[in-house]
Amino acid sequence: MLTIDQKYKLYESSVQCHTADIDFINEQYEKIQGRKPFVLREDFGGTGLLACSWAAQSSEHRAYGIDLDPEPMKYGIDNHYSKLTEEQQKRMKYIEGNVLHDQEFKSDVTVAFNFSYFIFKTRKELVEYFTKVREGLKDDGVFFLDIFGGTETRQELVEETEHDAHSYFWDCDQFNPLTNECQYYIHFQVGNTKHEKAFSYDWRMWGIAELREIMEDAGYF
């Protein structure tokens, strides 16, 4: 069985590239708004790797990582936050809480990456979440989220990606075409040992057309 530290280290090395994310956010925000973004809110932030790296950019940058689960946050505090300088730590805050709740700050940028908002299975819930994000942005704030789709995402299959020291498996275990609800798992193989269901995702898959309509209902357009 994987330890907690092993599990999150494998996850981050398999599915996250925080440096590329930060470069993309900075480039696109300045392109859209004509200035640099400084305050980032990472929803469903998990270990807070992106948020910690954001705060480390300069003395003007601040970041908040929000997540309900204390386990990945503890890993992040031990392995990412601990590596920040004392001054940087003052500009980075982990919030163990619900992304649907009001916060005491407004951000230039809010991100919901790795399809984390798929946890909301009804249109009403997703409109509520997108509305909360909009209300928590500054007047020229920008909401970044990613999406995946295509016919293969609706098929029960396992995709393997080989890394230097391990293999990563993305497993669509179940997909209901009537509701678009799906069950995904992440497995890892290290050496000759395969670690099944290291992460589990009980989601609804949202399409681009649906998301555009929901964002319109939430006041973005």
Side-chain angles (χ1 to χ4, degrees), residues 171 186-188 194-199:
D171 179 2
I186 290 177
H187 319 297
F188 298 110
K194 189 172 182 181
H195 302 277
E196 301 275 357
K197 300 181 180 179
F199 292 92

mmCIF file with all atom_site columns, all heavy atoms in Angstrom, residues 171 186-188 194-199:
data_model
loop_
_atom_site.group_PDB
_atom_site.id
_atom_site.type_symbol
_atom_site.label_atom_id
_atom_site.label_alt_id
_atom_site.label_comp_id
_atom_site.label_asym_id
_atom_site.label_entity_id
_atom_site.label_seq_id
_atom_site.pdbx_PDB_ins_code
_atom_site.Cartn_x
_atom_site.Cartn_y
_atom_site.Cartn_z
_atom_site.occupancy
_atom_site.B_iso_or_equiv
_atom_site.pdbx_formal_charge
_atom_site.auth_seq_id
_atom_site.auth_comp_id
_atom_site.auth_asym_id
_atom_site.auth_atom_id
_atom_site.pdbx_PDB_model_num
ATOM 1  N N   . ASP A 1 171 ? -8.415  5.460  -15.438 1.00 0.00 ? 171 ASP A N   1
ATOM 2  C CA  . ASP A 1 171 ? -9.368  4.372  -15.618 1.00 0.00 ? 171 ASP A CA  1
ATOM 3  C C   . ASP A 1 171 ? -10.803 4.897  -15.605 1.00 0.00 ? 171 ASP A C   1
ATOM 4  O O   . ASP A 1 171 ? -11.287 5.366  -14.568 1.00 0.00 ? 171 ASP A O   1
ATOM 5  C CB  . ASP A 1 171 ? -9.161  3.350  -14.487 1.00 0.00 ? 171 ASP A CB  1
ATOM 6  C CG  . ASP A 1 171 ? -10.127 2.176  -14.545 1.00 0.00 ? 171 ASP A CG  1
ATOM 7  O OD1 . ASP A 1 171 ? -10.946 2.114  -15.471 1.00 0.00 ? 171 ASP A OD1 1
ATOM 8  O OD2 . ASP A 1 171 ? -10.031 1.321  -13.646 1.00 0.00 ? 171 ASP A OD2 1
ATOM 9  N N   . ILE A 1 186 ? -7.621  6.490  -10.494 1.00 0.00 ? 186 ILE A N   1
ATOM 10 C CA  . ILE A 1 186 ? -6.205  6.567  -10.839 1.00 0.00 ? 186 ILE A CA  1
ATOM 11 C C   . ILE A 1 186 ? -5.492  5.412  -10.153 1.00 0.00 ? 186 ILE A C   1
ATOM 12 O O   . ILE A 1 186 ? -5.671  5.190  -8.950  1.00 0.00 ? 186 ILE A O   1
ATOM 13 C CB  . ILE A 1 186 ? -5.582  7.913  -10.402 1.00 0.00 ? 186 ILE A CB  1
ATOM 14 C CG1 . ILE A 1 186 ? -6.103  9.055  -11.264 1.00 0.00 ? 186 ILE A CG1 1
ATOM 15 C CG2 . ILE A 1 186 ? -4.061  7.850  -10.478 1.00 0.00 ? 186 ILE A CG2 1
ATOM 16 C CD1 . ILE A 1 186 ? -5.589  10.426 -10.851 1.00 0.00 ? 186 ILE A CD1 1
ATOM 17 N N   . HIS A 1 187 ? -4.725  4.658  -10.939 1.00 0.00 ? 187 HIS A N   1
ATOM 18 C CA  . HIS A 1 187 ? -3.870  3.605  -10.406 1.00 0.00 ? 187 HIS A CA  1
ATOM 19 C C   . HIS A 1 187 ? -2.417  3.972  -10.706 1.00 0.00 ? 187 HIS A C   1
ATOM 20 O O   . HIS A 1 187 ? -2.129  4.699  -11.666 1.00 0.00 ? 187 HIS A O   1
ATOM 21 C CB  . HIS A 1 187 ? -4.160  2.248  -11.062 1.00 0.00 ? 187 HIS A CB  1
ATOM 22 C CG  . HIS A 1 187 ? -5.608  1.941  -11.272 1.00 0.00 ? 187 HIS A CG  1
ATOM 23 N ND1 . HIS A 1 187 ? -6.493  1.804  -10.234 1.00 0.00 ? 187 HIS A ND1 1
ATOM 24 C CD2 . HIS A 1 187 ? -6.324  1.737  -12.414 1.00 0.00 ? 187 HIS A CD2 1
ATOM 25 C CE1 . HIS A 1 187 ? -7.697  1.519  -10.728 1.00 0.00 ? 187 HIS A CE1 1
ATOM 26 N NE2 . HIS A 1 187 ? -7.617  1.488  -12.046 1.00 0.00 ? 187 HIS A NE2 1
ATOM 27 N N   . PHE A 1 188 ? -1.512  3.450  -9.918  1.00 0.00 ? 188 PHE A N   1
ATOM 28 C CA  . PHE A 1 188 ? -0.081  3.621  -10.163 1.00 0.00 ? 188 PHE A CA  1
ATOM 29 C C   . PHE A 1 188 ? 0.610   2.263  -10.140 1.00 0.00 ? 188 PHE A C   1
ATOM 30 O O   . PHE A 1 188 ? 0.192   1.367  -9.399  1.00 0.00 ? 188 PHE A O   1
ATOM 31 C CB  . PHE A 1 188 ? 0.568   4.509  -9.090  1.00 0.00 ? 188 PHE A CB  1
ATOM 32 C CG  . PHE A 1 188 ? 0.037   5.914  -9.038  1.00 0.00 ? 188 PHE A CG  1
ATOM 33 C CD1 . PHE A 1 188 ? -0.738  6.336  -7.966  1.00 0.00 ? 188 PHE A CD1 1
ATOM 34 C CD2 . PHE A 1 188 ? 0.311   6.821  -10.041 1.00 0.00 ? 188 PHE A CD2 1
ATOM 35 C CE1 . PHE A 1 188 ? -1.230  7.633  -7.898  1.00 0.00 ? 188 PHE A CE1 1
ATOM 36 C CE2 . PHE A 1 188 ? -0.178  8.118  -9.990  1.00 0.00 ? 188 PHE A CE2 1
ATOM 37 C CZ  . PHE A 1 188 ? -0.944  8.525  -8.907  1.00 0.00 ? 188 PHE A CZ  1
ATOM 38 N N   . LYS A 1 194 ? 1.438   -2.930 -8.536  1.00 0.00 ? 194 LYS A N   1
ATOM 39 C CA  . LYS A 1 194 ? 0.411   -2.009 -9.008  1.00 0.00 ? 194 LYS A CA  1
ATOM 40 C C   . LYS A 1 194 ? -0.493  -1.625 -7.845  1.00 0.00 ? 194 LYS A C   1
ATOM 41 O O   . LYS A 1 194 ? -0.991  -2.501 -7.129  1.00 0.00 ? 194 LYS A O   1
ATOM 42 C CB  . LYS A 1 194 ? -0.422  -2.649 -10.123 1.00 0.00 ? 194 LYS A CB  1
ATOM 43 C CG  . LYS A 1 194 ? -1.373  -1.644 -10.788 1.00 0.00 ? 194 LYS A CG  1
ATOM 44 C CD  . LYS A 1 194 ? -2.052  -2.244 -12.011 1.00 0.00 ? 194 LYS A CD  1
ATOM 45 C CE  . LYS A 1 194 ? -2.965  -1.217 -12.682 1.00 0.00 ? 194 LYS A CE  1
ATOM 46 N NZ  . LYS A 1 194 ? -3.656  -1.768 -13.858 1.00 0.00 ? 194 LYS A NZ  1
ATOM 47 N N   . HIS A 1 195 ? -0.675  -0.337 -7.680  1.00 0.00 ? 195 HIS A N   1
ATOM 48 C CA  . HIS A 1 195 ? -1.483  0.196  -6.588  1.00 0.00 ? 195 HIS A CA  1
ATOM 49 C C   . HIS A 1 195 ? -2.820  0.653  -7.175  1.00 0.00 ? 195 HIS A C   1
ATOM 50 O O   . HIS A 1 195 ? -2.915  1.696  -7.827  1.00 0.00 ? 195 HIS A O   1
ATOM 51 C CB  . HIS A 1 195 ? -0.762  1.346  -5.907  1.00 0.00 ? 195 HIS A CB  1
ATOM 52 C CG  . HIS A 1 195 ? 0.587   0.966  -5.370  1.00 0.00 ? 195 HIS A CG  1
ATOM 53 N ND1 . HIS A 1 195 ? 0.747   0.351  -4.152  1.00 0.00 ? 195 HIS A ND1 1
ATOM 54 C CD2 . HIS A 1 195 ? 1.827   1.098  -5.914  1.00 0.00 ? 195 HIS A CD2 1
ATOM 55 C CE1 . HIS A 1 195 ? 2.032   0.126  -3.943  1.00 0.00 ? 195 HIS A CE1 1
ATOM 56 N NE2 . HIS A 1 195 ? 2.711   0.567  -4.991  1.00 0.00 ? 195 HIS A NE2 1
ATOM 57 N N   . GLU A 1 196 ? -3.848  -0.158 -6.946  1.00 0.00 ? 196 GLU A N   1
ATOM 58 C CA  . GLU A 1 196 ? -5.156  0.080  -7.535  1.00 0.00 ? 196 GLU A CA  1
ATOM 59 C C   . GLU A 1 196 ? -5.940  1.143  -6.749  1.00 0.00 ? 196 GLU A C   1
ATOM 60 O O   . GLU A 1 196 ? -5.873  1.218  -5.529  1.00 0.00 ? 196 GLU A O   1
ATOM 61 C CB  . GLU A 1 196 ? -5.970  -1.223 -7.528  1.00 0.00 ? 196 GLU A CB  1
ATOM 62 C CG  . GLU A 1 196 ? -5.322  -2.375 -8.297  1.00 0.00 ? 196 GLU A CG  1
ATOM 63 C CD  . GLU A 1 196 ? -5.644  -2.333 -9.777  1.00 0.00 ? 196 GLU A CD  1
ATOM 64 O OE1 . GLU A 1 196 ? -6.411  -1.438 -10.191 1.00 0.00 ? 196 GLU A OE1 1
ATOM 65 O OE2 . GLU A 1 196 ? -5.129  -3.186 -10.520 1.00 0.00 ? 196 GLU A OE2 1
ATOM 66 N N   . LYS A 1 197 ? -6.668  1.956  -7.503  1.00 0.00 ? 197 LYS A N   1
ATOM 67 C CA  . LYS A 1 197 ? -7.611  2.918  -6.943  1.00 0.00 ? 197 LYS A CA  1
ATOM 68 C C   . LYS A 1 197 ? -6.977  3.828  -5.888  1.00 0.00 ? 197 LYS A C   1
ATOM 69 O O   . LYS A 1 197 ? -7.532  4.068  -4.819  1.00 0.00 ? 197 LYS A O   1
ATOM 70 C CB  . LYS A 1 197 ? -8.835  2.196  -6.355  1.00 0.00 ? 197 LYS A CB  1
ATOM 71 C CG  . LYS A 1 197 ? -9.590  1.369  -7.385  1.00 0.00 ? 197 LYS A CG  1
ATOM 72 C CD  . LYS A 1 197 ? -10.806 0.683  -6.786  1.00 0.00 ? 197 LYS A CD  1
ATOM 73 C CE  . LYS A 1 197 ? -11.544 -0.135 -7.836  1.00 0.00 ? 197 LYS A CE  1
ATOM 74 N NZ  . LYS A 1 197 ? -12.723 -0.837 -7.276  1.00 0.00 ? 197 LYS A NZ  1
ATOM 75 N N   . ALA A 1 198 ? -5.816  4.356  -6.233  1.00 0.00 ? 198 ALA A N   1
ATOM 76 C CA  . ALA A 1 198 ? -5.166  5.315  -5.336  1.00 0.00 ? 198 ALA A CA  1
ATOM 77 C C   . ALA A 1 198 ? -6.017  6.576  -5.189  1.00 0.00 ? 198 ALA A C   1
ATOM 78 O O   . ALA A 1 198 ? -6.045  7.205  -4.131  1.00 0.00 ? 198 ALA A O   1
ATOM 79 C CB  . ALA A 1 198 ? -3.772  5.662  -5.861  1.00 0.00 ? 198 ALA A CB  1
ATOM 80 N N   . PHE A 1 199 ? -6.731  6.931  -6.265  1.00 0.00 ? 199 PHE A N   1
ATOM 81 C CA  . PHE A 1 199 ? -7.657  8.059  -6.233  1.00 0.00 ? 199 PHE A CA  1
ATOM 82 C C   . PHE A 1 199 ? -8.944  7.642  -6.930  1.00 0.00 ? 199 PHE A C   1
ATOM 83 O O   . PHE A 1 199 ? -8.929  6.888  -7.906  1.00 0.00 ? 199 PHE A O   1
ATOM 84 C CB  . PHE A 1 199 ? -7.072  9.288  -6.940  1.00 0.00 ? 199 PHE A CB  1
ATOM 85 C CG  . PHE A 1 199 ? -5.898  9.890  -6.226  1.00 0.00 ? 199 PHE A CG  1
ATOM 86 C CD1 . PHE A 1 199 ? -4.602  9.495  -6.537  1.00 0.00 ? 199 PHE A CD1 1
ATOM 87 C CD2 . PHE A 1 199 ? -6.081  10.849 -5.247  1.00 0.00 ? 199 PHE A CD2 1
ATOM 88 C CE1 . PHE A 1 199 ? -3.518  10.046 -5.884  1.00 0.00 ? 199 PHE A CE1 1
ATOM 89 C CE2 . PHE A 1 199 ? -4.996  11.408 -4.582  1.00 0.00 ? 199 PHE A CE2 1
ATOM 90 C CZ  . PHE A 1 199 ? -3.713  11.004 -4.897  1.00 0.00 ? 199 PHE A CZ  1
#
